[in-house]
Amino acid sequence: MSELVSRAVGRFAPSPTGPLHAGSMVAALASWLDARARNGRWLVRIEDTDLPRCDAAHGRMILQQLRACGLESDGEIVWQSARTDLYQGALDQLASAGKAFACACTRQEIAKHWHVTGRQWGRHQEIPYPGTCRTGLHGREARAMRFLTQGTGTIRWVDRRLGSQSQCVEEVVGDVVLKRADGLWAYQLAVVVDDAAQGITHVVRGEDLADNTARQILIQQALGLTTPQYLHTPVVRSANGEKLSKQTGAPAVDVSDPVRALHEAGRHLGLRPDHSQVSDQLSAWVKAWASQWVTSAAD
Ligand SMILES: [Zn+2]
């Protein structure tokens, strides 16, 4: 029984803004191998809180692409759009503990705050929230709900591939949005709530998401949740150096030849098939890689 309780649980959590592309395939394979190497469970979660950008048809297509490659969730597929009650419960918990507050600020007002102080921010730089509404709305209308980062200091964690990491969220990001002005749940809250609800012990995801880790650790701590271990996989770039993403028009993974699709993802992770086991059989590739993963990445 205790063995069951302590079993590792990994997950793959794509946003259904398009079909699975080569970049997301790498994260899917890495998280799956990591769970397999630990004799753990691997769960799939569709992160569709950003309803205007997401499409259930893309979600179903991603699941079908994964299935074609032999990557099947060991539990029920979770769709975040159906879990509003859980996120509301977490928000209520944070608000009643004084760790979440209503914010009336528009993007322009936040930018104006820094403009007045003379601090400059690059066009693509995140403008930190200056804490304007921490003392109340003063008659303004609530738009979003934010997480109070005041006094939280520098968050440190160890990424299994990137090593020691640190970020002062209060300075770099400011008070993190938990519920957006358009009423949608923010990614940061939904991820934290679901990782805990699903008992995730090992998060393996693309390096483009590494920057979110400190925010998520802060929210986990405020909710009294355990922090999982993190491993961020190398980002896949196109021939011209651009990160592969739906926004840059990355093509869908061709799963008509699943062994090839997995081989390409595995090569990106530095995995080489054991030549004594070379075969067209999917199971043989995966077996060889899972044993390599144990010695290379698993700790
Ligand atoms: Zn505000």
Side-chain angles (χ1 to χ4, degrees):
M1 191 65 193
S2 61
E3 197 189 333
L4 269 178
V5 172
S6 62
R7 249 179 106 179
V9 186
R11 47 75 154 184
F12 175 57
S15 291
T17 53
L20 207 63
H21 56 74
S24 39
M25 187 67 202
V26 166
L29 178 64
S31 60
W32 187 87
L33 283 174
D34 194 54
R36 284 292 169 271
R38 292 166 192 286
N39 196 26
R41 299 174 71 225
W42 183 74
L43 304 175
V44 177
R45 179 168 81 223
I46 304 292
E47 300 205 325
D48 58 345
T49 53
D50 192 349
L51 292 169
R53 290 179 58 235
C54 296
D55 181 348
H58 284 140
R60 289 191 294 273
M61 188 187 284
I62 289 170
L63 294 173
Q64 185 258 320
Q65 288 172 291
L66 291 171
R67 208 174 303 126
C69 293
L71 308 180
E72 292 216 50
S73 182
D74 294 319
E76 202 188 330
I77 309 289
V78 160
W79 294 72
Q80 287 190 326
S81 54
R83 293 162 74 83
T84 303
D85 291 353
L86 271 180
Y87 310 142
Q88 185 64 55
L91 179 61
D92 292 346
Q93 189 186 332
L94 290 170
S96 60
K99 291 174 180 168
F101 62 93
C103 168
C105 303
T106 61
R107 211 177 278 266
Q108 289 95 319
E109 284 170 328
I110 294 168
K112 201 173 144 202
H113 170 94
W114 293 115
H115 186 74
V116 171
T117 65
R119 270 180 86 172
Q120 301 279 326
W121 305 97
R123 211 159 66 88
H124 296 292
Q125 231 177 336
E126 189 155 15
I127 303 177
Y129 180 69
T132 316
C133 303
R134 284 175 183 171
T135 58
L137 296 172
H138 306 293
R140 295 149 80 220
E141 199 182 330
R143 290 166 49 83
M145 288 297 289
R146 290 183 184 270
F147 177 78
L148 183 68
T149 58
Q150 194 169 18
T152 48
T154 301
I155 299 297
R156 296 174 203 284
W157 76 99
V158 177
D159 184 279
R160 289 166 52 210
R161 186 176 71 91
L162 302 172
S164 292
Q165 306 286 308
S166 68
Q167 187 182 60
C168 179
V169 178
E170 183 179 3
E171 256 174 47
V172 180
V173 185
D175 299 330
V176 181
V177 172
L178 299 171
K179 194 175 188 183
R180 301 174 4 178
D182 57 10
L184 296 174
W185 293 101
Y187 164 74
Q188 310 293 353
L189 180 68
V191 166
V192 166
V193 169
D194 284 331
D195 280 344
Q198 295 187 284
I200 305 298
T201 58
H202 293 77
V203 171
V204 177
R205 60 186 178 189
E207 194 175 331
D208 51 324
L209 292 168
D211 193 43
N212 295 287
T213 310
R215 279 163 249 201
Q216 292 170 12
I217 291 173
L218 272 181
I219 300 171
Q220 286 158 4
Q221 290 175 347
L223 287 167
L225 304 171
T226 310
T227 293
Q229 292 193 41
Y230 289 95
L231 186 156
H232 290 90
T233 58
V235 165
V236 180
R237 296 185 187 280
S238 64
N240 62 13
E242 247 181 354
K243 180 182 98 73
L244 282 192
S245 72
K246 285 134 195 170
Q247 289 75 25
T248 58
V253 171
D254 178 7
V255 292
S256 63
D257 186 350
V259 169
R260 195 182 146 174
L262 285 169
H263 188 194
E264 279 178 13
R267 203 174 46 194
H268 193 79
L269 291 165
L271 298 169
R272 298 271 178 275
D274 175 347
H275 285 285
S276 65
Q277 293 188 50
V278 166
S279 147
D280 286 341
Q281 293 294 309
L282 188 61
S283 57
W285 287 102
V286 163
K287 203 174 154 196
W289 280 338
S291 61
Q292 278 187 49
W293 185 273
V294 174
T295 49
S296 65
D299 52 9

